[in-house]
Structure formats: C-alpha cells, structure tokens
Amino acid sequence: MWTRDTCDDFSKNLTLMESHEQFSSTLSYVATCMSMLCGGTTSLFATYGSSFGEVLGFTQYETNMVASLGDYAHYMSAPLFGYLTLRIGPRRVTQAAGVLMFVGYMGLSYAFDRLPTQRNQASHYVATMSLLFALVGVGSKAAYMAAMATTASNFRHSRFAGIALGVPLSLYGLSTFVFSSVKAHWFERDAGPARYLLCMAVVSLIAHLLASGFVKLRDSAQLAVVGAKRRRAQSAPRAGAKGVKGDDAGVDQSSSAEAIEMTETRRRRMTTSDPDGETSSPELRRGSLDLTQSTPARPEPTPAEPPIFQRFSRDPTAWALLLGLVCFSGPGLAFVNNCGTMVRAMAHTTTMSEEQIGQYKDRIVATQSFFSFASRLSVGYFSDVWRTKLRLPRAGLLVLAAVLMIYAQQMAAQVARLDDLRTLAVLIGVAMGSAFTLAPTITAETWGAHNFGICWGVITLGPAIGGHVCNLVFGFSWDEGLARIAAHMSPIDSDRVHCDSSCFAPAFVTNTKIAYAGLAFFAAVLLMPRILHVLGRKN
C-alpha cells in the first residue's frame, strides 16, 4: 500500500539516484574540460616551428608543409572520431587521444635531439616530421571530438547549450596560452625544443588517461524514467487522500508496479533500436510518460528517413558552412602557424637578443591563444542571448567574425612595426575563437545533437583544406622573397640573408581575397533558411 512513509522512502531513493547521476555528469563535464585544455596544443607549432629551419635546416616551404600535413591529419580525422565516439564511447577515444599525442610529441623530441642537422639531409626528414606532427594533430582531434560530441549530447535539451559548448571550446583555445607560457618560463633557454616536446608528451598522456576515467554519455531515457517514477511517487499520497483505500489501493499499487515494469521494458526496447543513440519515443523525450497507462499499440511503421550523411550532404546550408570555414580559417591558420616566423622577420632590425626574440614570439602565440579563449567563452554566452532573447540567428555573428578576419588580413599585409603583430594576434584570436564556437553550436542545432559527431566532423574538413592552401601560399611567398633579397646581395653575404615584411605581405594580400569569399559563404548560411523558404524547400 502506498503510504506517506513509503512514498517518502521512495522519493529519497529517487533523489539519491538523481544526485548520483548529476554528480557523474558534473565529473564528466570537468573531465571533458581537462581533456580540451591539454588537447588543443597543435597551435603550439608556432612556438617551435622556426626550429625546423634553425636546427634541421628546413626551408620555410618545407616547414609549412609539415604544418599543413599536420593540420590535414588533425581535421580530416574528425569524422572518424565523431563516429567512434558514438559507436564505442568517448572513454576509449579519449584514451586513444593521449596515446597518439604521446607518440607524436615523443617522436618530435627524439628527432630534434638526435637527428643530424646537415642541410643536404633535411629533405629526408620532411616526411618523418610530417608524420610525427600528424600524430599530434590526430590525437588532438580525437580529444576534441570526444569532448564536443559528449557535451553536445549531454546538453542537447538545455537552454544554455551555447555556453555549455563554449566552456570546453574556450579551454581548447586556452591550451596554447598555457603551454606557451610554460615554454617561456622553463624552456626558453634551451638550444632546441627537445625537452619542451618531451614535457608535452608526458602531460598529454597523463591528462587524457585521467580524463578518460570520468567522461561518459548520459542516458537520457533512464533520466526520463526516473523523472516519471518521481512524479508517480509524488502523486500517490494525493490519490490516497482522495479515498484510495483497502483493495482499491492494493490494486492501484499492483497496477503501478506493472506499469513501471512495462515502462522499463519499453525503454530498453526503444533505446536499443534507435541507431542514433536517442530514444525514439516522443513521451520519453518530453519526459511526460504516464506510468499508469498501459502499453499502447505499436504505431504503423513510417517510411525510414535517409541516412544522416545523405541528408547532410544534400543540404545547401552544410555546403555553405563548409566552404565558409575553408575560406575563413585558412587565412587565420596561416597567421597562427607562421606568427613566430613573422616575429623573427620583424625583429632582425631591432637590438633584441635571441632569447628576447624567442620570448616575444611566445608572447604573441600566448596572446592569440588567450583572446581565442576569451572570445569562445564570451561568444558562447552572448550567442545564447542573441538566439533566445533577441531571437536572431547565430549565423549573424559568424558574418561579424568574417568581417573581423578580413580587417586582420588587410592589416597583416601592411605590417610596419613589430608591435603590430600583437594587435594582429588579438584580432585573429577573437575572430577564430568566435567562429569555432558558433559553428559547432549551429551544427548541433541544425542537424541534431545526436548527429553532431558525424556532421561536425565533416564540416571541420574545411579548416584542413583552407589551412593547407594558405600555409603553402605563405611558404611560397616567403621563399620567393628570400630568393629575391639574396639575389641583390654578394655571394659572401648570402648566408646572412634576412627577410622582412616584404617576404610575407603578398601572402596576406592573397589571403584577404580568400577571407572575402568566406564572408560571402557565411552570409549564405545566414540567408539560407529564407532562400529555402522562398524556393519551397523547407528543411
């Protein structure tokens, strides 16, 4: 019989279950944040990229080839790890991230410490160093996709999905700031980056193995059933107060137990039959299941929807967002990967020592990373207000980020002083951080959080393509400028050739035009719902 004491005990048990689930979810969220903080270290390439030329004798084009292939591996592995996160769970993917980053950083450390440095052998190392940096990129993307897919799934029904995604994304951007500051304090006096890369290998492995112990996907169907049981427990005393006594109460208790048992059976059947990992029952999704009702008859089967990848690939919004990220992120990554080289180009006319130049280079990288972190965090919150309070599309903020990127590229083409690079780092950090917070949120809202791993994994191929093209444009422009300056010098002084802003300015002129194309594609993302409505092709 349902008495008040029985209901109180039942409510306490449910409260303990909910508290345990909430605690596990909090630990999972903290673990994803730690994984992102230690996983976003591919941008650290700028802090040791110049060592490829100074230690191993690489040309700038060969150095940028290593960076580009690492970016390719980083972004092109996104669909795979998005799928694996949903298939085998985020725990194993996070563990794989730690192992891959450990092997990549350890191999780079060994190469800088042991490989010969003769210039005539440098070309033999390009493929080896590209492969090792690619392992770092793949591991970084594995950590990213595991954390983002987990967060998008766990917060898919929250009003604060933007800020929930923004916090780990901001920490991913802050990663470069943290570890470049570590390098500036403890490893700047080293002749090469071998010890620094060894430190990164150990930290990456330990952090991701620790995070993998707590990261998990929430069982939304189980939470819905617990909520339904709680409502049943709360309504039982009111039913007893209205005269449910004796045999009637016993019948009611028995029917309630049967209803709960049938609900559990239905939940298990529906959660195992849905391949996307989201319950197919509208009642469970709304959390409004009435446990006193008998199991309804199975509805007539409806025609199956096309696979998500097929629907996604036919959606013009997906193509506009993909091409927009190609043209937006390419110019940004060209600065991120080459800002250390730009510092050396602008500093050779100053009285700064080699150690001071290295510290200034680390500060530029840290500045870009910090403002990327700040913009990811603030834009995540502001986009929620923009979307829920002002009822404006988030894609409007993407357009503003593209305008800021165009301005930054125009400024990079006209750099005159060393301090201009700090301003550039701020502008590009804000633009990149904003876009990489908005784009995943738009992806989750447009194609569903349960499809986020696959859809966002495909879209993030854009930065790989754009970064590769713009990095090679920078490398080609730099080597061409270096050859042009060397042609006007005597053979005796040819070994002391120094580039200045004229070596990289043409690259940013080209990148400005590419950024304009990114603005056009982001505008298409903003206007696409209206265009499809006019054409009678509503999503």
Side-chain angles (χ1 to χ4, degrees):
M1 179 177 178
W2 283 91
T3 63
R4 183 173 297 276
D5 291 339
T6 303
C7 293
D8 289 343
D9 292 340
F10 190 51
S11 297
K12 289 179 181 178
N13 290 334
L14 288 175
T15 301
L16 289 175
M17 293 172 61
E18 292 172 341
S19 299
H20 180 267
E21 183 66 28
Q22 187 64 35
F23 181 70
S24 298
S25 299
T26 302
L27 279 180
S28 176
Y29 190 67
V30 172
T32 58
C33 289
M34 182 176 73
S35 175
M36 292 286 269
L37 180 62
C38 298
T41 56
T42 53
S43 297
L44 285 173
F45 184 87
T47 64
Y48 59 86
S50 58
S51 297
F52 283 90
E54 297 165 359
V55 178
L56 299 178
F58 283 25
T59 66
Q60 189 62 38
Y61 186 86
E62 291 170 338
T63 300
N64 280 22
M65 181 67 73
V66 174
S68 296
L69 293 178
D71 286 339
Y72 257 124
H74 176 75
Y75 290 108
M76 295 191 73
S77 60
L80 171 63
F81 289 115
Y83 170 77
L84 289 177
T85 299
L86 300 178
R87 184 72 176 177
I88 66 175
R91 178 170 300 177
R92 293 182 181 178
V93 176
T94 304
Q95 291 171 348
V99 173
L100 288 168
M101 295 183 72
F102 174 80
V103 174
Y105 276 126
M106 185 65 72
L108 289 172
S109 175
Y110 179 86
F112 277 109
D113 189 43
R114 300 295 179 88
L115 289 181
T117 59
Q118 288 84 357
R119 176 67 192 92
N120 57 1
Q121 298 181 12
S123 59
H124 299 164
Y125 309 144
V126 174
T128 301
M129 303 302 277
S130 297
L131 175 61
L132 292 171
F133 187 61
L135 290 177
V136 174
V138 171
S140 175
K141 182 54 69 174
Y144 177 93
M145 292 307 299
M148 293 302 295
T150 302
T151 305
S153 178
N154 290 350
F155 288 89
R156 62 176 175 268
H157 299 306
S158 173
R159 290 189 307 141
F160 305 103
I163 188 64
L165 286 170
V167 171
L169 276 171
S170 64
L171 293 175
Y172 194 77
L174 186 65
S175 180
T176 304
F177 171 81
V178 171
F179 291 106
S180 63
S181 299
V182 169
K183 181 177 182 293
H185 282 85
W186 284 294
F187 300 100
E188 196 59 55
R189 295 180 181 274
D190 292 359
R195 283 202 316 133
Y196 173 57
L197 294 171
L198 177 62
C199 171
M200 293 303 305
V202 175
V203 170
S204 299
L205 180 64
I206 294 175
H208 287 98
L209 291 182
L210 285 176
S212 68
F214 302 100
V215 65
K216 61 177 287 189
L217 290 170
R218 296 176 67 182
D219 186 352
S220 58
Q222 178 65 37
L223 292 179
V225 170
V226 171
K229 289 180 179 180
R230 171 172 287 282
R231 286 190 294 275
R232 177 58 191 162
Q234 291 172 346
S235 64
R238 291 194 295 269
K242 292 180 180 180
V244 182
K245 299 179 181 178
D247 295 338
D248 292 338
V251 171
D252 184 64
Q253 179 180 0
S254 176
S255 63
S256 298
E258 293 175 358
I260 291 174
E261 183 179 356
M262 286 188 293
T263 300
E264 290 288 351
T265 304
R266 292 171 60 199
R267 180 188 69 80
R268 288 192 293 269
R269 183 176 65 250
M270 288 180 290
T271 53
T272 55
S273 62
D274 189 348
D276 289 330
E278 184 177 12
T279 176
S280 58
S281 169
E283 292 85 4
L284 283 180
R285 284 199 299 266
R286 293 193 299 267
S288 59
L289 184 63
D290 187 357
L291 297 180
T292 62
Q293 297 178 356
S294 60
T295 305
R298 184 181 294 274
E300 291 295 327
T302 57
E305 287 188 339
I308 178 58
F309 183 78
Q310 184 177 348
R311 288 186 283 125
F312 178 76
S313 61
R314 293 178 178 177
D315 192 336
T317 304
W319 285 101
L321 186 57
L322 172 63
L323 294 174
L325 283 179
V326 170
C327 299
F328 172 88
S329 59
L333 288 173
F335 174 82
V336 171
N337 289 332
N338 295 286
C339 60
T341 301
M342 295 169 67
V343 168
R344 290 196 169 275
M346 301 301 297
H348 78 274
T349 58
T350 66
T351 58
M352 298 171 65
S353 65
E354 282 296 316
E355 181 179 344
Q356 290 174 327
I357 292 175
Q359 291 175 344
Y360 194 90
K361 177 178 63 176
D362 293 339
R363 285 197 295 269
I364 292 293
V365 175
T367 299
Q368 186 274 330
S369 174
F370 177 80
F371 279 91
S372 176
F373 155 76
S375 65
R376 289 172 193 248
L377 192 60
S378 58
V379 169
Y381 172 76
F382 182 67
S383 69
D384 283 337
V385 176
W386 179 277
R387 181 74 179 88
T388 59
K389 303 296 184 183
L390 303 180
R391 299 189 179 278
L392 296 173
R394 296 185 199 265
L397 297 175
L398 268 182
V399 172
L400 296 180
V403 172
L404 185 60
M405 179 60 73
I406 291 172
Y407 177 75
Q409 295 299 310
Q410 291 175 337
M411 182 178 179
Q414 302 173 5
V415 167
R417 297 179 298 111
L418 185 61
D419 289 341
D420 291 342
L421 297 179
R422 190 185 296 273
T423 305
L424 266 176
V426 173
L427 295 175
I428 291 180
V430 171
M432 294 285 284
S434 300
F436 280 93
T437 298
L438 295 166
T441 307
I442 292 172
T443 302
E445 291 179 342
T446 305
W447 295 284
H450 54 289
N451 295 318
F452 176 83
I454 296 175
C455 297
W456 179 239
V458 173
I459 289 176
T460 52
L461 296 178
I465 300 170
H468 176 71
V469 172
C470 293
N471 274 329
L472 294 185
V473 168
F474 184 96
F476 179 80
S477 174
W478 180 275
D479 289 341
E480 188 179 61
L482 193 65
R484 185 174 58 251
I485 294 174
H488 293 84
M489 300 180 66
S490 64
I492 299 177
D493 298 328
S494 60
D495 292 336
R496 295 196 299 270
V497 176
H498 292 287
C499 260
D500 53 19
S501 61
S502 64
C503 291
F504 58 77
F508 286 104
V509 172
T510 302
N511 290 346
T512 300
K513 299 175 183 178
I514 297 175
Y516 269 110
L519 173 62
F521 285 118
F522 283 162
V525 174
L526 174 63
L527 300 175
M528 193 63 69
R530 173 62 60 182
I531 295 173
L532 295 178
H533 178 74
V534 171
L535 297 177
R537 296 172 56 193
K538 294 183 179 179
N539 291 333

